[in-house]
Amino acid sequence: MTDTAAVLWIRDFLFFREFVTPGVLFAAYYTGALLIPVVVFDLARRFRRRVQARLTAEGVLPGRLRTPVAWTAGYAVVAFLLAELAWRMMFEFMLAYFQMHAAITGLGG
């Protein structure tokens, strides 16, 4: 009796000979890459509100609030770029680990 490809894959999966993580990494990367702008926008909005509330409490006129808004937008852009870069680098490191494993075990890269 010969085993089918599905049975062999299940056996390899159960004995940790087959990694499912590299496939899952791509879905996790793109999910995070799409959620980072939402999180950065929300954090920037909260930061701007906090700055505006503080300046209003200190008696700064509303017309003078343009500078903190500009700074907030600048911080948001920098935070967005750094977050996306860090997210990408983290996933590249994990994928490189699996490629090194495949090369060392002779499975091909």
Side-chain angles (χ1 to χ4, degrees):
M1 180 169 90
T2 61
D3 292 332
T4 63
V7 171
L8 292 175
W9 186 87
I10 291 172
R11 187 187 69 205
D12 288 344
F13 174 76
L14 293 175
F15 286 105
F16 293 94
R17 293 182 196 137
E18 180 72 31
F19 290 127
V20 296
T21 307
V24 174
L25 281 177
F26 287 108
Y29 169 76
Y30 285 111
T31 302
L34 293 174
L35 287 178
I36 285 174
V38 174
V39 171
V40 168
F41 175 77
D42 184 54
L43 290 174
R45 192 185 69 205
R46 289 180 187 193
F47 179 72
R48 191 179 109 244
R49 284 182 186 166
R50 183 176 289 171
V51 168
Q52 284 181 340
R54 185 174 181 189
L55 291 176
T56 303
E58 292 176 1
V60 178
L61 298 175
R64 300 168 109 189
L65 292 178
R66 299 214 189 282
T67 301
V69 172
W71 278 100
T72 302
Y75 288 142
V77 169
V78 170
F80 168 73
L81 293 175
L82 290 177
E84 287 287 346
L85 180 64
W87 190 253
R88 175 71 185 229
M89 289 171 60
M90 180 179 67
F91 277 88
E92 284 179 358
F93 176 77
M94 287 188 276
L95 287 172
Y97 169 77
F98 286 105
Q99 289 174 351
M100 287 187 293
H101 176 271
I104 289 171
T105 58
L107 299 175

